[in-house]
């Protein structure tokens, strides 16, 4: 398994490539494409680690995104 840092870089590159391949043109397109990836990733976790693990990962991600959003400065 890659280091966390290497895996992070690879995931960024994969998501960029995926979004380009999907032809995203708007923020809503990005949301839709990423939602598909999140769904597929959760289903893979479920398949190999069980439903509870998939739910735990999604909940942890939700909490992380909520914390980041709470600390962001609103755009003018």
């Amino acid at each position: 398994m890659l280091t966390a840092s290497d895996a992070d870089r690879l995931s960024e590159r994969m998501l960029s490539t995926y979004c380009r391949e999907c032809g995203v043109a708007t923020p809503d397109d990005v949301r839709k494409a990423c939602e598909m990836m999140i769904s597929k990733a959760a289903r893979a976790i479920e398949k190999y680690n069980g439903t509870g693990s998939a739910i735990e990962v999604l909940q942890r991600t939700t909490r992380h995104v909520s914390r980041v959003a709470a600390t962001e400065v609103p755009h003018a």
Side-chain angles (χ1 to χ4, degrees):
M1 180 72 184
L2 297 174
T3 66
S5 180
D6 289 339
D8 183 59
R9 276 192 299 278
L10 181 58
S11 66
E12 289 285 337
R13 187 173 25 169
M14 290 174 65
L15 278 169
S16 294
T17 300
Y18 172 72
C19 284
R20 244 187 337 274
E21 292 286 326
C22 286
V24 299
T26 67
D28 196 48
D29 290 346
V30 172
R31 179 193 57 78
K32 289 175 184 175
C34 288
E35 185 175 346
M36 177 63 74
M37 288 293 268
I38 291 165
S39 177
K40 293 293 185 181
R43 294 306 305 262
I45 294 167
E46 177 187 34
K47 180 177 180 179
Y48 294 102
N49 297 275
T51 302
S53 291
I55 291 169
E56 183 181 315
V57 167
L58 290 168
Q59 289 174 335
R60 204 169 42 243
T61 302
T62 300
R63 286 190 301 272
H64 175 74
V65 170
S66 295
R67 280 193 306 271
V68 170
T71 62
E72 289 180 345
V73 178
H75 297 287

